[in-house]
Amino acid sequence: MLKDRFGRTIDYMRVSITDRCNLRCAYCMPDGIAPAPAEALLTGGEIAFVCRQAASLGIDRFKLTGGEPLVRPDCAKLVAALKGIGGVRQVTLTTNGVLLRARLDELLDAGLDAVNVSLDTTDRAQYRAITGVDALEAVMASIRAAAGRLPVKINCVAQDGVNADAPLSLAALARELPVDVRFIEMMPVGAGKRRKTVPNADILATIERAYGRTVPDDRAHGNGPAVYRRAEGFLGGIGFISAVSGGFCRDCNRLRLMSTGELKPCLCYADAIPLRDILRGAEGDRERRVREKIIQAVRSKPEAHCFEHPDVVTEDREMARIGG
Ligand code: SAM
Ligand code: SF4
């Protein structure tokens, strides 16, 4: 079992499999950022190799992310490869949902356990303004196709002055469908530094004004720091990831692997441990060296992020490169 210096068990890894994306959410992948050269991205075999070493040390849940993981043709193959690693309990995916409906059967066949779909609004014009693409219909069709076939969570990043009205229509999806809807505060990472978040307390107040009082929902919903509430008559829960105001680091359970092969101990700081040269170097002791780096990344996890002090945040890479 992997324990960090603060006694936290690290058993979850977010794995970014590409920095490419078919949308252009301005807070995540602003125009003008150059993708990494194709040869810099880890291959499917290299990603599975790192995950096997991580699993041998006690990581038993993986989340594929990106960029947009579904633009990578071998995404379902990777899900199957990770599911086939001994000791792995869960492989999930976070996607913008545009391609999910088309890939759903393939992903379910591969053994995908759950999916998160990012959706910041249900208004077509607003969706286009946020993401740069007129794809709301495709995303809604994906959500409806996936709901009931596997656990679905919808993630919304609320931005002051951009989609402040979205929480009500998004929460309504949890009333209508068996999906959790979660609100994530904007983190001051990459272009997110130049955006203003809406505190989750304000979103909860807005939802309760419209839908009545909610009650705490303590059932386990996933691997992360979300706190859930339930509204009367709703099929799904309403979750809050209070990244900035919530101080959730005491329960941090994760490492991040970037698509270019760096291991990130914490989202907030630029520190990253490169694995690519080891993966592409002499074969002999690759397994041992990758495991040592994973242990080093766990040991170097800081006690907490500093998102409440954006000037101290050292992570300047865009979230599309890190994987969220
Ligand atoms: N393309 C996939 C998607 O959109 O779900 C996976 C990658 S995306 C980087 C993962 C999540 O990070 C999305 O839900 C996105 O809204 C969120 N995100 C991006 N930048 C963020 C920021 N600065 N603060 C909070 N969440 C952010
Ligand atoms: Fe692409 Fe996801 Fe970032 Fe939007 S949030 S630009 S969909 S990676």
Side-chain angles (χ1 to χ4, degrees):
M1 187 191 286
L2 286 165
K3 285 262 184 202
D4 75 359
R5 294 175 297 147
F6 307 98
R8 297 173 296 199
T9 301
I10 308 304
D11 54 8
Y12 172 61
M13 188 184 274
R14 293 180 68 94
V15 181
S16 173
I17 64 172
T18 181
D19 64 343
R20 276 68 168 159
C21 188
N22 47 355
L23 299 185
R24 285 290 175 278
C25 309
Y27 60 83
C28 176
M29 191 186 258
D31 281 338
I33 68 161
E39 63 277 13
L41 299 184
L42 296 192
T43 63
E46 289 167 341
I47 292 169
F49 182 90
V50 176
C51 293
R52 274 199 301 280
Q53 307 321 310
S56 75
L57 293 168
I59 304 257
D60 59 9
R61 283 159 298 149
F62 294 95
K63 163 98 65 208
L64 299 188
T65 175
E68 171 49 38
L70 292 180
V71 301
R72 209 173 143 143
D74 61 352
C75 185
K77 213 171 133 192
L78 265 166
V79 170
L82 269 47
K83 283 287 288 190
I85 298 173
V88 170
R89 287 198 290 133
Q90 201 186 50
V91 178
T92 57
L93 174 78
T94 182
T95 170
N96 60 34
V98 175
L99 299 171
L100 178 63
R101 188 178 175 202
R103 300 278 172 80
L104 190 58
D105 288 340
E106 197 191 341
L107 289 164
L108 288 169
D109 289 347
L112 186 71
D113 290 296
V115 68
N116 292 355
V117 180
S118 300
L119 179 63
D120 291 347
T121 175
T122 58
D123 178 88
R124 186 172 167 185
Q126 205 171 70
Y127 183 93
R128 200 198 152 125
I130 292 170
T131 67
V133 181
D134 186 10
L136 178 67
E137 236 174 80
V139 179
M140 294 305 296
S142 290
I143 291 171
R144 290 180 192 285
R149 295 189 72 192
L150 79 172
V152 177
K153 296 193 178 83
I154 296 172
N155 288 335
C156 165
V157 178
Q159 299 178 66
D160 199 20
V162 175
N163 59 345
D165 52 341
L168 287 186
S169 58
L170 284 163
L173 289 175
R175 184 171 57 178
E176 180 199 337
L177 297 169
V179 300
D180 290 336
V181 174
R182 314 190 306 173
F183 298 95
I184 305 175
E185 289 176 344
M186 176 77 70
M187 292 176 253
V189 169
K193 278 193 174 149
R194 299 183 289 279
R195 306 276 158 162
K196 197 159 171 248
T197 195
V198 181
N200 271 337
D202 294 2
I203 293 181
L204 176 60
T206 305
I207 290 173
E208 290 197 327
R209 267 196 302 277
Y211 297 118
R213 269 184 63 80
T214 61
V215 293
D217 177 356
D218 296 330
R219 289 168 307 161
H221 287 244
N223 298 314
V227 172
Y228 284 89
R229 300 191 68 85
R230 188 157 283 273
E232 176 125 19
F234 277 46
L235 296 177
I238 308 284
F240 297 93
I241 301 182
S242 303
V244 180
S245 67
F248 55 46
C249 301
R250 65 182 164 274
D251 297 322
C252 187
N253 58 356
R254 61 199 56 199
L255 285 181
R256 291 178 164 80
L257 176 66
M258 289 171 53
S259 54
T260 40
E262 294 87 0
L263 269 180
K264 259 184 80 62
C266 176
L267 192 51
C268 181
Y269 304 100
D271 309 63
I273 299 172
L275 298 182
R276 205 173 60 222
D277 285 353
I278 301 177
L279 293 168
R280 295 181 183 176
E283 227 171 270
D285 57 353
R286 250 186 233 158
E287 293 185 356
R288 178 186 60 78
R289 291 181 68 200
V290 168
R291 281 187 212 160
E292 276 174 10
K293 295 292 182 191
I294 293 170
I295 292 167
Q296 184 189 337
V298 168
R299 295 226 170 107
S300 55
K301 277 181 73 64
E303 185 168 17
H305 69 53
C306 58
F307 288 145
E308 58 284 32
H309 305 292
D311 299 349
V312 190
V313 175
T314 54
E315 184 52 89
D316 265 337
R317 282 173 284 225
E318 303 304 341
M319 203 66 107
R321 293 211 49 206
I322 302 168

